[in-house]
Structures are given as structure tokens and as C-alpha cells.
Amino acid sequence: MNTMKTKLCLVILLIVGLSTYLSANPVNGLLERIDKGASKKFVIELNKGTDDFFELDQKGSKVVVRGNNYVNIATGINWYLKYYAGIQLSWNGMQVSLPQVLPAVPQKERHETSLSLRYDFNYCTYSYTMAFWDWERWEKEIDWMALHGINLPLAAVGQECIWFNMLQKLGYSKEEINSFIAGPAFLAWWAMNNLEGWGGPNPDSWYAQQEALQKKILKRMREYGIKPVFPGYSGMVPHDADEKLGLNLTKSDLWNGFTRPAFLQPTDARFAEIADLYYREQEKLFGKADYYSMDPFHEAENAASVDFDAAGRAIMTAMKKVNPKATWVVQGWTENPRPEMIKNMQNGDLLILDLFSECRPMWGIPSIWKRDQGYEQHDWLFCMLLNFGGNVGLHGRMDQLLNNFYLTKNNPLATHLKGGKRGCQCQKAQFSAAFPRLHTVQQQNGHAQRDERVSAEAAERQERDNAHCAAREHAAEVSGFVPRIAAALCNAVGEQRKRQPSDHAQPHRLRKKCRADMINRHAHHGKNLQLVLGQQFHARSPPLCINYS
């Protein structure tokens, strides 16, 4: 009996000890989720400081990873796995079997970045991709963020819970609230003031589930030192709040056929009261934040009656009352942020996401969305949208992405550049070369060349015993392999077209053109490669042109 008790006590002590070890820092838990026992192969050293860096070093048989915070340490681990162990973690695979003895770091390696803010997501991501994620999926995503240096993600899960509680206190019934709050797959456009109620009503269990989920998400983010960006209050109210509450509203035209929420005029005496109520309910559920996201007048065409300067001051004042050091995060998208709204704000109070930097930058270089004076005194982030609507393809603007990023280096309009962001809207199927490139250049001081990086990426992905195989050798293999893959894809598309005739392309012509384009235009050393493929799943859709540059 005593032997059994002793064994039981030892087991309990072992479990408690392991839990304490893993909770001592979140990186240990991350390593164990990557590969059981992996945390024992690394030495993690936290050297707190203001400069963002990570270092790789060696101590006996263990790899040392040190940094000024846990996110940067996790980034260092990812760097080690890619460039020393030949292992690439991705959205499609966050678990690997590490070697029994890790490849040694022959000499200390250090990386620094002056881009202190690395943002993640936009509102659309939460509906296109993440609407029904559970904690298991979110845990993987937060690990992925840390591995890629992300320290400032939009944290929008459970925002509908805040609104439910707030509207109840304003006198709205459960039925009225559920006719206003959108369903899970449409919450993004509701949060951006585009529509009401579509896809609802939500059951009571949904609100309870999302509140609990957001609390888990925030706990893990804060363990890493990741700063969540909370949805703030921008003046949105139900479209009938003038009748229900007697408020002074501005009402927009329909958005793509949907009735939009109304905007509470900043001069209305109850603006501050309703904003205070929103932030109180948010704090009860999730606490406070240092960053709040608000996008008033998103894709609104008839907001001319609004005093934009007064609206900006009212929104900023309400946020600063909650946290005087907080920063307002706003998406740079088409007309937003309205120049009249931000012209009198101070540097540091606003952080603008130049949402489509790799294609339609607004910060000052030539573009159809160019702002001649950029964002003037305001801080901003260079951002990337990998796709729209979760529609993915075999493509990526790699040259344009890199060139646009490096144009910020010596441009006076980029003086207030503070970091970068990705806005992937369909992660699991997304072509995964583009984002790692943006992540990598933010960790390098030099100018990364596209061909060098593509060759290195090919080497990283090659499954060989020798993880350090020459990138040039593998690139040569790929150059001969790609045309054969493309021809096979084109044949498959052609066969699909035979079964599902299209008005836009005849199968035999598409197949012939596709194979010819692929083989004849496939080129090396920076020349353009173009594919013309038909979409397999939409019989009446036009061919999809895909460009690699």
C-alpha cells in the first residue's frame, strides 16, 4: 500500500513539475506542441530590453535562443528550424519530429528589427476564415503568430457579446438585439458598419461560447507578450436608434443591398454616454487594451453631412478616457481614414494600416489610391492582403511586395513607418511563399533578393537527409518539374471543362494554350512566368490569369 501511495505521489509531483516547467514561459509549451520533448533540447533566455532582437547560440548539445521578449524568442526558434534544421512549420503543419540531436549553431547569430509593430488580420479574416474556429485551432494560430514575430493582432472574437450586453442596458429586447447583430460568418461586415442582422439570429449558446473562447485567446496572447487590438467604439448604432432612443443619426445608403447601421452624430449629447457604456461592458468581459480598432465611414459614400473632425475627436476622447495611453488603429482603405478626421490628431494617437501596400499603396508611392502627402504626421504599417473572399490561387506578387517594401527605406513619406502586417483571409489553402518573405525582410537589415529567397525557400522545402543541400541544385530540379506539373493541371482543367461546358473557353483550346504558355513562358532569372488556368469549380466563370513576377 505504501509503495502504491509513493508511486502516486511521484506521478502527481511529476505532473505538477511538468506543468510548472511549461508555464514558466510560453515558449516551452510552444516547443512541446511542435514536438513532445522539444523543450529539453533548447535553452531559452529572456533578456528584457527595448530593442527587438533574437540570438541563436550553443551551450553543449543544446541550442540557445535568447531575445528581449517571448515573441522574439519564438521568432528565433522558427529561424533556427528553417535555416539550421531544414524544417518549415506552416498553417498546414505545426508539428514535426525534431532530430534527436539538433544541428549545432557554430557561432552566435543575432537579428534585430526597427519595425517594432507586427500586426495580424483584418476584420474580413474573422468571417472568411475564422468564424467557427475552436480553441484547438486558435492555439495553433497564436503559436504561428509568435513564430513569425507578430505582436499586435486584431482580437475581435466575442465583440458581439459586448454589444449584446450594451444594447440590453440601452433598452433593446433580445429579439431586437438579434435582429441587429449579424451571424458568425458575417460579423466582419457588421463590425465595419456595413450591414445588420444578416445570418442571424445567434443562439444564446453562441454568446457564451465566444466569450469563453476570447478569454482563452487573450490569456495566451498576454502570456507571450502579444498586445491584442480590441474593437473600439466608433459611433455605430442600430439604424432605428433615432426612433428607439431619440438619437441624432447619420444614415448611409444601402451597402451592396444591405441596410447599414447608423452613425451617431458626435454632437449628440449621448455620444459620450453610449461610448462609455460600450467600454465598461468590454472591460467587464475582457479587460482593457493599449490598442483599439475603429473604422467609421467604411465604404460609406454619402457621409458628407458628418463633421469628420468632430467625429474623430469624439471617438478619440472616448477611447482615451478608458486608457490615456491607448492608440487608435484604423484601416487605410479607399477613402478611409478621412483626411479631415485625422488632420488635427497628434503623432502617436493614431496607427494607420496601409491595408493593400503590395498592390495599391496609399502612403505616397504611385498607385491609384496614392495620397500625395502620405499619412503626414501619423504612424502607419506596411500591410499585405494575400487574397479576397478566401479565393486563393497559385500566385503571389513577390517582386512587387519586396520592391514596395524597400521603397519605404529612404522615402520621406515613410518616416513614420512602424512595422508590417498580413491580412490573409483564407490561411489553410493560401500559397505560403509571400508572407514568409515579408516576415523575413522585417528581420533583415539588408535587401533581400527575390531569386535568392525563392531558391532558399526551395531548399528549405526539399525533403532530404541533408537539410543544408544547395539551393541552386534544388532550384534546377524545380525548373524542370514545374512545367510538367502545370501541364498536368491544365489537362485536368480541360477534362473538367469537357464535363462542365463554359461560355468563356473551350477545353481543347484552354489546354493547348495553358501548356504552351507554361512551357514557353517558363523562364529563369527573374523573367515573367504566366499561367492561364480555368477555374475548375465554377463552370461559367472566366479563365483565371495567374502571374508570377
Side-chain angles (χ1 to χ4, degrees):
M1 182 64 72
N2 289 335
T3 303
M4 287 293 294
K5 287 183 178 180
T6 301
K7 288 181 178 179
L8 182 59
C9 289
L10 288 173
V11 169
I12 293 172
L13 287 172
L14 182 62
I15 293 171
V16 171
L18 181 61
S19 299
T20 302
Y21 173 73
L22 295 179
S23 63
N25 71 65
V27 176
N28 286 336
L30 165 66
L31 288 167
E32 289 298 314
R33 287 188 289 276
I34 292 172
D35 185 25
K36 189 174 181 180
S39 63
K40 297 176 182 178
K41 300 177 182 180
F42 290 85
V43 176
I44 305 303
E45 295 183 1
L46 178 64
N47 296 343
K48 292 187 177 180
T50 56
D51 296 331
D52 275 354
F53 80 95
F54 68 80
E55 287 181 350
L56 303 179
D57 210 343
Q58 193 74 23
K59 184 179 291 185
S61 63
K62 295 187 178 183
V63 173
V64 179
V65 187
R66 63 178 66 94
N68 62 307
N69 57 51
Y70 289 127
V71 169
N72 291 337
I73 290 172
T75 307
I77 288 172
N78 193 34
W79 192 279
Y80 171 83
L81 292 176
K82 288 180 69 174
Y83 300 116
Y84 286 83
I87 292 170
Q88 181 168 351
L89 301 173
S90 73
W91 285 305
N92 299 314
M94 288 288 289
Q95 292 180 317
V96 295
S97 295
L98 297 183
Q100 190 65 33
V101 178
L102 294 177
V105 178
Q107 61 183 18
K108 184 190 294 185
E109 180 177 348
R110 181 183 175 96
H111 291 271
E112 301 175 351
T113 180
S114 60
L115 301 177
S116 58
L117 301 177
R118 280 92 63 185
Y119 188 83
D120 202 9
F121 308 134
N122 60 17
Y123 282 97
C124 295
T125 320
Y126 274 84
S127 287
Y128 283 138
T129 303
M130 303 151 72
F132 302 102
W133 280 10
D134 57 12
W135 168 242
E136 181 181 0
R137 181 60 185 86
W138 262 108
E139 184 175 47
K140 291 179 181 178
E141 189 69 15
I142 297 169
D143 285 345
W144 190 95
M145 286 191 279
L147 288 164
H148 289 82
I150 289 165
N151 58 10
L152 193 68
L154 178 64
V157 170
Q159 60 183 316
E160 62 272 29
C161 306
I162 303 164
W163 278 89
F164 192 97
N165 295 348
M166 181 187 83
L167 290 174
Q168 274 194 324
K169 287 183 168 58
L170 288 173
Y172 280 80
S173 67
K174 179 178 175 180
E175 290 71 24
E176 290 171 326
I177 295 170
N178 277 325
S179 68
F180 171 66
I181 297 175
F186 303 93
L187 284 171
W189 298 277
W190 165 75
M192 291 188 290
N193 316 333
N194 296 149
L195 53 77
E196 292 185 357
W198 189 258
N202 300 312
D204 293 346
S205 59
W206 173 261
Y207 294 100
Q209 169 190 299
Q210 295 306 98
E211 178 186 335
L213 177 59
Q214 176 72 331
K215 288 175 178 177
K216 286 184 178 180
I217 292 169
L218 295 175
K219 182 177 183 292
R220 180 60 55 81
M221 285 182 177
R222 287 163 175 156
E223 288 171 357
Y224 272 120
I226 293 172
K227 289 185 175 292
V229 179
F230 281 1
Y233 185 73
S234 64
M236 183 174 81
V237 289
H239 77 278
D240 61 356
D242 50 352
E243 300 172 5
K244 179 79 175 178
L245 303 176
L247 301 178
N248 181 17
L249 308 180
T250 294
K251 296 188 178 183
S252 298
D253 292 337
L254 298 179
W255 181 82
N256 291 322
F258 293 100
T259 299
R260 301 186 66 141
F263 178 76
L264 176 58
Q265 284 281 4
T267 53
D268 190 288
R270 298 192 68 186
F271 188 101
E273 171 199 337
I274 293 174
D276 286 347
L277 178 58
Y278 173 89
Y279 285 116
R280 284 200 307 273
E281 294 303 318
Q282 184 177 59
E283 186 177 351
K284 286 179 186 177
L285 293 178
F286 308 126
K288 295 183 180 183
D290 291 331
Y291 293 87
Y292 290 89
S293 172
M294 293 158 281
D295 290 283
F297 323 116
H298 176 78
E299 297 182 1
E301 297 179 355
N302 65 335
S305 62
V306 176
D307 183 334
F308 290 123
D309 180 59
R313 283 187 279 109
I315 294 168
M316 184 70 75
T317 299
M319 180 193 73
K320 291 287 189 180
K321 187 176 179 181
V322 179
N323 180 357
K325 296 182 179 180
T327 299
W328 174 358
V329 179
V330 62
Q331 297 178 136
W333 183 255
T334 62
E335 300 91 352
N336 272 12
R338 310 297 170 118
E340 305 92 329
M341 186 179 74
I342 66 174
K343 64 181 179 180
N344 294 319
M345 293 180 184
Q346 301 298 310
N347 172 259
D349 284 342
L350 196 69
L351 180 64
I352 302 171
L353 310 176
D354 195 69
L355 213 59
F356 209 3
S357 297
E358 88 280 16
C359 186
R360 296 183 181 180
M362 297 170 65
W363 64 268
I365 60 176
S367 157
I368 62 172
W369 287 359
K370 173 187 174 183
R371 296 193 178 195
D372 291 337
Q373 300 304 315
Y375 296 119
E376 301 187 83
Q377 75 270 29
H378 296 300
D379 296 338
W380 63 281
L381 303 183
F382 183 101
C383 304
M384 174 174 67
L385 289 178
L386 298 180
N387 59 68
F388 289 88
N391 295 310
V392 298
L394 208 61
H395 68 276
R397 300 184 182 92
M398 199 171 293
D399 269 354
Q400 197 169 353
L401 169 65
L402 291 173
N403 290 339
N404 284 3
F405 181 79
Y406 285 114
L407 285 173
T408 67
K409 291 295 184 180
N410 298 307
N411 192 312
L413 294 176
T415 301
H416 297 290
L417 175 65
K418 296 298 180 183
K421 171 257 185 190
R422 63 122 184 164
C424 177
Q425 295 173 2
C426 187
Q427 290 99 315
K428 288 189 68 97
Q430 178 61 42
F431 177 65
S432 61
F435 177 74
R437 294 293 68 73
L438 182 58
H439 157 66
T440 299
V441 297
Q442 291 183 79
Q443 298 291 342
Q444 291 179 326
N445 293 323
H447 193 298
Q449 297 296 327
R450 180 205 60 183
D451 290 346
E452 293 172 5
R453 290 302 315 134
V454 170
S455 295
E457 187 80 14
E460 291 158 21
R461 295 186 179 204
Q462 177 69 356
E463 293 182 3
R464 295 185 175 185
D465 291 338
N466 181 5
H468 304 287
C469 63
R472 183 177 299 174
E473 176 188 343
H474 183 58
E477 294 173 8
V478 171
S479 67
F481 183 62
V482 168
R484 296 197 298 274
I485 288 291
L489 283 171
C490 294
N491 282 326
V493 171
E495 293 304 315
Q496 182 72 11
R497 292 283 187 177
K498 286 181 181 179
R499 292 192 293 272
Q500 297 178 320
S502 168
D503 296 338
H504 301 286
Q506 295 182 18
H508 69 281
R509 292 181 182 174
L510 175 67
R511 189 164 62 250
K512 183 184 294 184
K513 178 174 176 57
C514 189
R515 187 184 298 110
D517 279 353
M518 187 63 217
I519 295 173
N520 295 334
R521 295 194 178 196
H522 178 67
H524 307 282
H525 310 300
K527 295 180 182 178
N528 189 57
L529 169 62
Q530 184 181 67
L531 306 178
V532 182
L533 298 177
Q535 293 183 12
Q536 295 189 47
F537 303 109
H538 302 284
R540 302 184 63 83
S541 61
L544 175 65
C545 289
I546 301 172
N547 290 293
Y548 284 80
S549 297

